[in-house]
Amino acid sequence: MRGVVEVPNAEKIKVVEELNGVFLKAKSAVLADYQGIDALGLTQLRRHMRANSVDFRVVKNTLAREAAKNTAFEMLDEEFKGPISMVVSFEDAVAPAKALADFAKSGAPKSPKVLCGVVEGKKISPQEVKALADLPPKEVLIAQLLATMNGPTTNFVGALSGLLRKFVGTLDAIREKKASE
């Protein structure tokens, strides 16, 4: 019944406060449509998300809209419609995207459809969520960066040692020539 003002009960207020706390602490979140996944599939999904250190929850849209006010997730107001689930991470900004992608690859009969995401206050599209999921792990990216930074140094040292070797060879040749005279 639209137009009727509903007085919030204590349980709804508690849920809104809890969700607001989640929105304030979260580094990133992905909204997904879980429609079509049976109870067993949702249990597997929750277990998989817990194993990947992310929080999975099915949210009530009106309560989520209210909880998102004055947070980085307020921009998702229009996205809270239909059957919505949230995958949230408090530490790793890429973890929700990776966890959903891993679940889809795990052979589950049905996986949630990504609707959008928020990473450190910026709204991202489903394609950007997929791109995040495809990124190599943080440790690999750091190793690649260090290898890239180390390359020129190694080349410089190689060039210098080559010059030094030629110089020592030239000095040795001069010494031998003077010794034979």
Side-chain angles (χ1 to χ4, degrees), residues 19-88:
L19 267 177
N20 184 265
V22 167
F23 288 144
L24 288 171
K25 289 185 229 164
K27 272 199 170 185
S28 66
V30 174
L31 294 185
D33 180 353
Y34 65 91
Q35 195 169 17
I37 302 175
D38 60 8
L40 180 62
L42 277 176
T43 303
Q44 290 174 338
L45 179 60
R46 281 189 172 94
R47 193 173 296 133
H48 181 80
M49 296 301 149
R50 254 192 316 275
N52 284 286
S53 302
V54 293
D55 183 33
F56 174 83
R57 56 180 68 209
V58 173
V59 294
K60 189 165 173 103
N61 296 326
T62 52
L63 299 181
R65 272 191 221 103
E66 189 63 34
K69 287 182 180 172
N70 300 318
T71 69
F73 292 82
E74 190 169 16
M75 66 187 85
L76 296 179
D77 189 49
E78 295 296 316
E79 302 297 333
F80 289 117
K81 57 185 177 227
I84 295 288
S85 62
M86 281 188 345
V87 182
V88 182

